[in-house]
Amino acid sequence: MLSILDQKAPFQTSQAPEPVISAFEGFKAPTSNTTYTPNQFFDVVIPHFSRGVVRIVAYLLRKTLGWCDANGNPQEEQIKVTYSELERKAGVSRDMIRASLDDALAGHLLECVTEGRAKHAHDAGQSARYQLRWSAMPYTTRLEHFDGFFEGEGNRTDIPNEFFDVLIPREPLSVIKVVGAIIRHSIGFQAKHGRRRQQVALSYQQIENYARFGSRSDLAKALRIAMEKNYIVRLESGVFSHEATERRRAVYALRWCDFPNGQKNEPAVHQSEIQTSISPISEPAHQSEFRTNIKTKLGNETGNRPAADTELRDRLLAFGFSEKTVAKLMREHSREEIEQQIAWMPDRAPARSPAGLLRRSIEQRWPAPIKLRSAEVTSVTQAGWDFARCFYASYGGNRGEPVNDPSPREAQTAESFVQRLIRATREEGRAAEWGRELGTLAREQRHPFPSLTLAIRQLGDAFLVQREKQRLQVQLASITQSREQHEQRFHEDWLRWLAAKEAEMRDTRPEDYQRFIAQRESERSELAADPKPWSRRVLEHFDTDNARLGAFRQCFGLPDFWQWDAAFNSQSFKPNP
């Protein structure tokens, strides 16, 4: 419940200086410090309401659901704030608070528990009290059917507190919409076996429709700001093409500060984006032909093409060349020249565009690359050779013993990659398994990578990060479980400590303690007089020892469980390294 006092805090003599806002480094890992937020906040509130409404509802969600006891019940049912606090902490300007509250009431987001009453002679007046509106109706994401937040189990997500404490009070609604859409479709989406997505592929059109953006330019600007400020990261750029099979949506994820997403930085800000219903255009620089849906039969193609030419044509198409480029290369260069340059490709330095590198080597008739001397590959261990051999076996569909041996350069590249995988996963002896997994991944691409060096360059980062994520997820689950078990073990000790402090306060500061008791009695009277059907359950919880001790702790500024555990518990929590 939120009690809003339309007055300044006592003894306030001057405006506090604006705090220095440091650069945001990413959201903390969701091991703790999260708010169990109704998904309807993202599905209903953010897309349909003003920034003031979003900020007030977010502030109330954070204050109410961000602090719960071991049973999941809010530690504070009633929260008092001043207009100044809403300005300072929630980011709502004073002249917009009243209108935002009215909109929230009209939208069934909040409900008024106690009407406010102005001050008059011999009447101190009364502050209006509001609380989140809950509904027993079936879950809905449609605004016209929304009658309050769904009070049943499920349909909630643990959202990092920085989203409420840092992003929402500071940023414009467009940035909140962008980050909210990515949260809802990534960690807010429960996949198979109860797992949560870490990233999501979204087109401009999908974000625009979900978050209800007014224009593409606003969406592009909001995405750019969100990435510049480290709220989100674009893991893969989208591709727009006239051919539907070649279109690809951009992949986004939250920026985490405690462990990597596997992301690469986006191009510089000055590089413009062409907004489409699929995603920004991101065509490889080497591809100069315009793609169309029209396939033309070239003049030199005949139904009697030799088998060797057909095989060579298919190999060139596998590199990503168009039909027109393949025909040009085969018309102007001999089959022996082309095959020789393809054979030398694994020994050349990796290129951003393998097709462009091969095309230049054919057209400019490059000489053979300098082979690695034997002294240069002395550091390659058996793991590097095993990784490379198994890569080619899997790429060729061979599940048995590998047949071909890689080149020395490929073995050295594989060795370096295997060492990075060992550091990321902290596991050894899996080089052959990793090689087969990468070979399968390369084979499944739209344009397969026929070279280990090229496959590592194009797919290695995502492959490495995926294995590191698996290790971190296991580690994260272990730490979370350890924290829960530790809290269950010592929660009663913390409550006994609070009870002892309460007894001590009753004896040493009786006047302060009596004021606390009087406040509790006043709040209980209001709950008892509330006719709403759920008030009885709230009152039952209010009368428990845990609720009383929680209110006592809050009133006198005593430490919460984890603060007490770190300062007073002789067996405080120490996570395994």
Side-chain angles (χ1 to χ4, degrees), residues 239 315 321 355 357 473 493 566:
V239 173
R315 293 177 67 186
F321 291 120
L357 176 66
Q473 287 171 354
D493 293 344

Side-chain angles (χ1 to χ4, degrees), residues 2 6 21 53 57-58 64 70 90 107 141 181 196 217 228 253 258 271 287 316 431 439 463 469 478 525 532 543 562:
L2 178 66
D6 190 6
I21 300 177
V53 173
V57 174
T64 304
T141 60
R196 298 281 175 172
S217 59
E228 289 174 353
D258 295 335
Q271 297 182 355
Q287 295 182 357
L316 290 172
F463 186 86
K469 280 183 179 179
S478 176
S525 299
K532 294 183 177 60
D543 290 336
W562 290 107

Side-chain angles (χ1 to χ4, degrees), residues 51-328:
R51 183 177 64 178
V53 173
V54 170
R55 288 180 172 178
I56 286 180
V57 174
Y59 188 74
L60 188 51
L61 286 169
R62 174 74 175 90
K63 297 287 285 186
T64 304
L65 303 181
W67 304 92
C68 297
D69 58 22
N71 298 318
N73 298 313
Q75 292 186 1
E76 293 184 87
E77 296 284 347
Q78 300 180 350
I79 303 160
K80 290 187 177 181
V81 295
T82 63
Y83 268 44
S84 298
E85 186 176 349
L86 286 178
E87 286 185 274
R88 187 173 63 258
K89 294 185 177 180
V92 185
S93 60
R94 178 177 289 268
D95 57 347
M96 291 301 298
I97 292 176
R98 182 68 263 167
S100 299
L101 285 171
D102 292 340
D103 290 344
L105 290 170
H108 301 160
L109 308 177
L110 305 179
E111 58 185 2
C112 183
V113 178
T114 304
E115 294 288 345
R117 191 174 65 249
K119 291 182 180 181
H120 298 289
H122 309 294
D123 186 354
Q126 178 176 270
S127 301
R129 291 176 180 269
Y130 303 90
Q131 66 181 13
L132 294 172
R133 181 182 176 114
W134 299 96
S135 172
M137 299 294 291
Y139 184 88
T140 182
T141 60
R142 304 191 53 158
L143 180 63
E144 60 270 26
H145 297 157
F146 183 82
D147 192 47
F149 292 103
F150 180 67
E151 67 178 5
E153 296 182 359
N155 294 296
R156 299 193 189 186
T157 303
D158 282 309
I159 304 299
N161 287 341
E162 292 93 338
F163 180 69
F164 297 95
D165 299 341
V166 178
L167 191 152
I168 290 182
R170 296 182 186 176
E171 300 300 340
L173 183 60
S174 59
V175 175
I176 297 173
K177 285 185 173 184
V178 162
V179 180
I182 292 170
I183 287 177
R184 182 67 180 93
H185 289 86
S186 57
I187 64 174
F189 182 90
Q190 185 168 322
K192 191 176 181 180
H193 305 308
R195 298 181 179 177
R196 298 281 175 172
R197 287 176 177 169
Q198 298 298 314
Q199 60 192 44
V200 60
L202 289 174
S203 67
Y204 262 65
Q205 189 67 54
Q206 287 175 309
I207 300 177
E208 185 178 12
N209 292 343
Y210 174 80
R212 298 175 62 87
F213 270 88
S215 68
R216 285 288 175 85
S217 59
D218 291 341
L219 173 56
K221 181 179 179 181
L223 279 168
R224 184 173 66 252
I225 293 173
M227 287 186 286
E228 289 174 353
K229 294 193 174 182
N230 284 335
Y231 298 132
I232 62 172
V233 61
R234 183 183 291 152
L235 303 180
E236 296 178 15
S237 295
V239 173
F240 176 76
S241 173
H242 296 287
E243 296 184 9
T245 58
E246 296 185 357
R247 297 173 184 171
R248 185 174 68 248
R249 293 173 294 180
V251 178
Y252 298 94
L254 289 182
R255 169 77 74 173
W256 301 100
C257 64
D258 295 335
F259 54 88
N261 287 88
Q263 61 266 17
K264 290 185 178 181
N265 292 333
E266 283 301 299
V269 176
H270 66 273
Q271 297 182 355
S272 62
E273 296 179 340
I274 300 176
Q275 298 121 34
T276 70
S277 61
I278 302 299
S279 57
I281 291 180
S282 179
E283 286 292 331
H286 67 278
Q287 295 182 357
S288 58
E289 298 82 6
F290 291 97
R291 297 171 176 170
T292 69
N293 290 323
I294 303 174
K295 296 286 186 179
T296 57
K297 183 174 180 67
L298 300 177
N300 65 338
E301 290 185 339
T302 67
N304 300 321
R305 174 179 295 158
D309 288 351
T310 301
E311 179 182 357
L312 179 59
R313 171 184 171 276
D314 292 341
R315 293 177 67 186
L316 290 172
L317 290 173
F319 270 91
F321 291 120
S322 66
E323 293 273 6
K324 180 179 178 181
T325 303
V326 170
K328 180 176 183 294

Side-chain angles (χ1 to χ4, degrees), residues 345-413:
M345 279 291 288
D347 295 319
R348 299 197 187 279
R352 181 180 181 88
S353 168
L357 176 66
L358 177 59
R359 181 173 182 174
R360 289 193 300 274
S361 67
I362 294 173
E363 292 177 341
Q364 299 174 16
R365 294 181 170 82
W366 288 1
I370 300 175
K371 292 285 186 179
L372 290 176
R373 300 177 179 86
S374 59
E376 294 178 295
V377 296
T378 54
S379 61
V380 178
T381 65
Q382 187 62 38
W385 292 102
D386 289 344
F387 183 95
R389 294 177 72 239
C390 290
F391 167 85
Y392 281 112
S394 179
Y395 184 82
N398 176 14
R399 299 182 180 180
E401 183 68 20
V403 176
N404 296 319
D405 288 325
S407 68
R409 182 187 292 274
E410 288 179 314
Q412 189 176 55
T413 301

Side-chain angles (χ1 to χ4, degrees), residues 1 113 131 524-536:
M1 185 182 296
V113 178
Q131 66 181 13
R524 191 185 189 287
S525 299
E526 292 180 5
L527 286 174
D530 193 339
K532 294 183 177 60
W534 55 82
S535 297
R536 185 173 63 180

Side-chain angles (χ1 to χ4, degrees), residues 486 560-574:
H486 182 83
D560 61 16
F561 173 81
W562 290 107
Q563 292 170 339
W564 167 84
D565 184 72
F568 299 100
N569 189 2
S570 59
Q571 302 180 52
S572 60
F573 180 72
K574 295 179 177 61

